[in-house]
Amino acid sequence: MVPNISSLSSYILEYQRSCANPTGYWAYVADTFYWRRKYDEVLRWDFEKPEIAWYVNGKLNITENIFERQIYYRRKQVALYWEPNDPGQPARSLTYQELFEATQQFANVLIAQGVRKGDRVAIYMPMVPELVVAMLACARIGAVHSVIFAGFSAQSLAERINDAGARVLITADGGYRGEKTIPIKAIADEAMESTECVERAIVLRRTGESVPMKAGRDYWWHDLKKNAPLVHEAVEVDAEDPLYILYTSGSTGKPKGLVHTTAGYMVYTAHTFRNVFQYEEGDVYFCSADIGWVTGHSYLVYGPLLNGATNVMFEGVPTWPDAGRYWQIIDKYRVNQFYTAPTAIRALMALGMEWLNGKDLGSLKVLGTVGEPINEEAWHWYHDHIGKNKCPIVDTWWQTETGGIMISPLAGIIPTKPSYATLPFVGIQPAIVDDNGNELTGNSVEGNLAIKFPWPGMARTIWGDHERFRHTYFGRFANLYFTGDGVKRDEDGYYRILGRVDDVINVSGHRLGTAEIENAINEHPLVVESAVVAFPHPVKGQGIYAFAICNEFSTGGEAGIRQSVVKTVERIIGPFARPDKVLVVSGLPKTRSGKIMRRILRKIALGEGDDFGDTTTLLDPAVVDEIVTKARAMEAEAG
Ligand code: PRX
């Protein structure tokens, strides 16, 4: 098992050691894994190119490290408790042996469908155990999975499938989320109409609703499984072979397929999971994230399973059938570590205390948050009412790109402070730099967050676009990985994440690019141009405010346009990207060179006064007055 850092003094010592001799440190952690062939060199790197390789020439399979490495003593232990959306439906659980067999069997299914090492497999599924099986089966045969969140629209799904060049799509007839049934297969069918690469769709039966199956392309999971053997020997892969591609938003409209490779990701997710959550043998851990995002990949699937943890996986939403659903699950499975997003905490906090009645949360030892800054009020509510003042909160800062947790308390070891991610994980060397790239040393400084030295879990490239990877992350500041976040280091040396400094916004913990939303809005037939900014939202963290130029209206007038703009975004990206406010305008504040002055739009979205600073560079300053007047009228109308 990976080494455990069990006290503050050992954290301090290990941190120093990991920075003084990073390769020695990461070799020491890596040596707790099973390698088919040991690596020749721990690290080769150059941030200029960039080129990052960990455990050079090492050979392994990550599923051998999940299963064979520990199966003899975990055979009967539960790997996955699965809680269905509807509490009235039967729950399921899979032991390590059962998950191992299901993985091997599905690996054989994939092989029979012609999937080979290096092939990309797209996965568009609800939160059911077969989603985990599908991912692990890909890893077993060296295929590269690309999970696409089941809230994405057909168009977004198609775009990702095409970018990855996936030959196989694994999906389901439908899925349940709260009171809704999501027509997953219908969305997948629509997506497949605009993809040329997908040869096979493997469809899991979840809802049992009848769905069309295209002959020669679509096959039922349960049919293919029938004759597939339960044993499949893992395919040996190189340490740097890709394990998966995961799409995330950037500041341009096109999503980025971040590539994570095998060995470094394995070592990093396992080590961070064990130490940040202080997971102990026998504990039950519950991560509420959807596997469609990186948190689910690293801290529902790989990190916990590599540590032989018992996981709780939940299909549904926190507020259905009522706002006590998470607390009931924690009570039912006697959960020890619970990891969720601040937006969920704020939403549940707003619904009142009554939902905690009768729920025994006494098993909890550690609480975690991820995905966005947690405000002090939510932190205290979580700490006092869920953790009953006895559970440390690990506010974990990291990103799709980082693969694993980067700045966070180690539970019960690093003293917490509300809304602070506190200190870097071992081996992580943060730097705060000003806009010119000068490092701001010492405490009580604020600037851009960058990282000076590679860590094993970092993404290696953007699928098919290494140049974009270079300029986005390594082109901004010489020899540094740039995170896109602003940060403050306080007088104690603690880090507080201040939010994005680029055009990426964070809505309910979902990462979106403003350009991506604008592109979607611009598809509306009556919209000429649009601009999207974020505004503070009490539950979502950030809300989406869209300004849309329309020169003609359909029958519904402005109100009709607003609604249909929202629908357009739902159709093109997915319901989670729905704008909170749409203001129909006749122009946008632009400079003479045509650049939209978002600073002004942000102020308007905030409802802030009339002082917009220097507007002399604007092409048409009068447009600002019109927007302000219309924005106020819209607010008044909304009450
Ligand atoms: O802005 C930071 C915010 O989420 C961004 C990364 O989003 P994504 O790649 O979707 O990954 C989310 C889950 C790891 C970051 O650039 N963020 C993440 N965690 C925190 C956070 N902001 C503040 N505090 C956090 N703990």
Side-chain angles (χ1 to χ4, degrees):
M1 292 283 103
V2 290
N4 179 225
I5 302 157
S6 57
S7 67
L8 187 58
S9 55
S10 71
Y11 163 75
I12 294 167
L13 275 174
E14 295 282 274
Y15 185 74
Q16 282 165 354
R17 177 180 161 210
S18 69
C19 294
N21 177 9
T23 52
Y25 186 79
W26 289 112
Y28 151 77
V29 181
D31 289 349
T32 62
F33 290 88
Y34 172 65
W35 297 84
R36 291 268 186 106
R37 178 187 185 278
K38 196 169 167 171
Y39 46 88
D40 297 328
E41 205 180 329
V42 179
L43 170 67
R44 220 177 259 172
W45 71 291
D46 176 351
F47 272 180
E48 288 286 295
K49 283 185 178 164
E51 186 183 296
I52 301 119
W54 282 91
Y55 309 115
V56 180
N57 294 330
K59 306 284 177 202
L60 74 161
N61 185 291
I62 196 167
T63 69
E64 254 177 7
N65 280 281
I66 292 174
F67 297 117
E68 280 91 336
R69 174 165 147 269
Q70 39 184 1
I71 198 70
Y72 294 105
Y73 52 101
R74 299 209 189 276
R75 228 176 259 291
K76 293 186 181 151
Q77 184 196 320
V78 172
L80 217 58
Y81 282 117
W82 176 78
E83 177 67 18
N85 177 58
D86 181 345
Q89 294 294 310
R92 289 168 61 189
S93 68
L94 276 86
T95 61
Y96 269 87
Q97 179 65 25
E98 287 163 341
L99 185 61
F100 186 24
E101 281 177 6
T103 299
Q104 296 184 80
Q105 190 178 35
F106 200 66
N108 284 321
V109 167
L110 292 175
I111 292 283
Q113 295 307 311
V115 183
R116 295 292 177 270
K117 183 172 169 177
D119 287 347
R120 275 80 59 208
V121 174
I123 305 180
Y124 185 68
M125 288 179 81
M127 282 285 286
V128 290
E130 286 78 6
L131 164 54
V132 179
V133 171
M135 293 164 79
L136 296 177
C138 287
R140 188 84 181 162
I141 65 172
V144 182
H145 58 71
S146 183
V147 180
I148 296 121
F149 172 58
F152 273 115
S153 67
Q155 190 168 325
S156 297
L157 173 61
E159 191 180 0
R160 285 157 179 75
I161 291 175
N162 285 330
D163 188 82
R167 294 178 54 198
V168 170
L169 171 66
I170 308 174
T171 186
D173 51 359
Y176 299 116
R177 268 181 74 78
E179 53 193 5
K180 291 195 209 113
T181 304
I182 318 285
I184 292 185
K185 178 64 165 53
I187 302 170
D189 283 340
E190 193 187 329
M192 283 188 284
E193 271 167 33
S194 31
T195 60
E196 280 179 7
C197 46
V198 175
E199 296 158 15
R200 280 278 178 284
I202 303 178
V203 187
L204 179 80
R205 183 172 281 159
R206 168 70 191 111
T207 60
E209 288 187 10
S210 83
V211 291
M213 297 287 280
K214 186 169 170 183
R217 187 195 67 187
D218 301 352
Y219 295 87
W220 286 107
W221 175 299
H222 55 263
D223 286 339
L224 296 179
K225 200 175 95 160
K226 264 180 207 146
N227 299 316
L230 289 177
V231 177
H232 177 93
E233 192 183 332
V235 170
E236 181 176 296
V237 306
D238 188 84
E240 282 297 334
D241 278 342
L243 173 65
Y244 68 81
I245 303 171
L246 185 59
Y247 286 86
T248 190
S249 298
S251 44
T252 68
K254 196 176 180 298
K256 304 182 272 199
L258 270 315
V259 177
H260 282 288
T261 58
T262 306
Y265 180 82
M266 169 182 80
V267 169
Y268 197 70
T269 54
H271 197 41
T272 46
F273 173 77
R274 168 79 171 98
N275 288 292
V276 170
F277 297 100
Q278 291 290 308
Y279 181 89
E280 297 288 343
E281 215 40 62
D283 284 348
V284 177
Y285 162 86
F286 173 23
C287 168
S288 74
D290 194 288
I291 292 178
W293 308 111
V294 76
T295 305
H297 280 64
S298 300
Y299 298 107
L300 203 165
V301 181
Y302 290 107
L305 295 177
L306 285 161
N307 279 281
T310 295
N311 262 311
V312 177
M313 174 179 188
F314 174 42
E315 185 184 34
V317 298
T319 48
W320 191 82
D322 63 49
R325 193 70 172 108
Y326 279 171
W327 321 132
Q328 182 233 335
I329 294 172
I330 291 170
D331 185 351
K332 175 174 174 184
Y333 296 97
R334 312 306 301 142
V335 169
N336 304 109
Q337 289 91 2
F338 176 52
Y339 194 29
T340 195
T343 187
I345 300 167
R346 288 190 296 263
L348 296 173
M349 181 171 83
L351 292 169
M353 295 296 298
E354 65 195 274
W355 306 107
L356 287 165
N357 290 345
K359 315 287 188 326
D360 178 0
L361 304 181
S363 56
L364 285 172
K365 297 196 286 192
V366 175
L367 298 174
T369 71
V370 59
E372 43 171 332
I374 178 162
N375 50 309
E376 291 205 21
E377 192 191 356
W379 195 97
H380 283 292
W381 187 83
Y382 199 32
H383 189 258
D384 298 353
H385 299 293
I386 306 305
K388 314 286 182 204
N389 293 309
K390 67 172 179 62
C391 303
I393 294 181
V394 291
D395 175 353
T396 63
W397 172 81
W398 59 295
Q399 313 176 291
T400 306
E401 293 84 344
T402 69
I405 296 168
M406 300 287 282
I407 303 183
S408 167
L410 305 183
I413 289 170
I414 294 178
T416 61
K417 191 165 173 176
S419 73
Y420 279 78
T422 74
L423 297 174
F425 191 70
V426 284
I428 301 305
Q429 302 184 32
I432 301 184
V433 294
D434 66 17
D435 287 342
N436 300 318
N438 303 311
E439 184 170 356
L440 308 173
T441 52
N443 291 343
S444 306
V445 290
E446 198 177 304
N448 302 295
L449 176 58
I451 313 287
K452 291 192 223 181
F453 195 86
W455 62 101
M458 70 190 298
R460 304 295 196 259
T461 190
I462 291 175
W463 184 259
D465 200 349
H466 196 63
E467 171 50 25
R468 186 174 178 198
F469 184 67
R470 186 196 66 74
H471 86 247
T472 310
Y473 304 109
F474 302 92
R476 180 80 174 83
F477 304 117
N479 274 313
L480 293 172
Y481 165 81
F482 174 49
T483 65
D485 279 310
V487 71
K488 168 181 147 179
R489 189 164 48 221
D490 76 356
E491 58 287 359
D492 303 323
Y494 268 28
Y495 291 83
R496 178 181 187 152
I497 307 299
L498 302 172
R500 302 287 308 196
V501 295
D502 54 10
D503 290 325
V504 169
I505 60 178
N506 204 319
V507 181
S508 300
H510 297 318
R511 175 168 159 184
L512 291 158
T514 51
E516 194 180 358
I517 307 170
E518 289 163 4
N519 289 350
I521 295 175
N522 296 346
E523 301 246 336
H524 187 290
L526 298 179
V527 171
V528 181
E529 197 183 354
S530 64
V532 162
V533 296
F535 68 97
H537 187 285
V539 173
K540 297 177 170 186
Q542 289 188 311
I544 301 172
Y545 199 129
F547 298 85
I549 305 182
C550 301
N551 292 336
E552 53 176 301
F553 299 119
S554 55
T555 44
E558 267 193 43
I561 298 260
R562 283 185 211 156
Q563 270 178 13
S564 57
V565 162
V566 171
K567 288 254 170 314
T568 306
V569 177
E570 287 185 358
R571 181 171 56 79
I572 292 176
I573 305 177
F576 65 94
R578 178 190 296 135
D580 298 272
K581 295 181 186 178
V582 179
L583 190 70
V584 179
V585 294
S586 66
L588 290 166
K590 285 190 181 172
T591 60
R592 276 175 241 281
S593 57
K595 202 170 171 289
I596 297 172
M597 287 185 84
R598 286 165 193 282
R599 172 177 67 75
I600 295 179
L601 296 178
R602 276 189 213 106
K603 283 206 151 202
I604 297 174
L606 269 171
E608 276 180 7
D610 300 328
D611 179 15
F612 295 106
D614 182 13
T615 53
T616 51
T617 54
L618 283 181
L619 191 61
D620 175 15
V623 83
V624 177
D625 297 330
E626 182 218 301
I627 302 176
V628 171
T629 310
K630 289 201 90 171
R632 289 199 179 136
M634 186 169 79
E635 293 301 327
E637 194 184 307

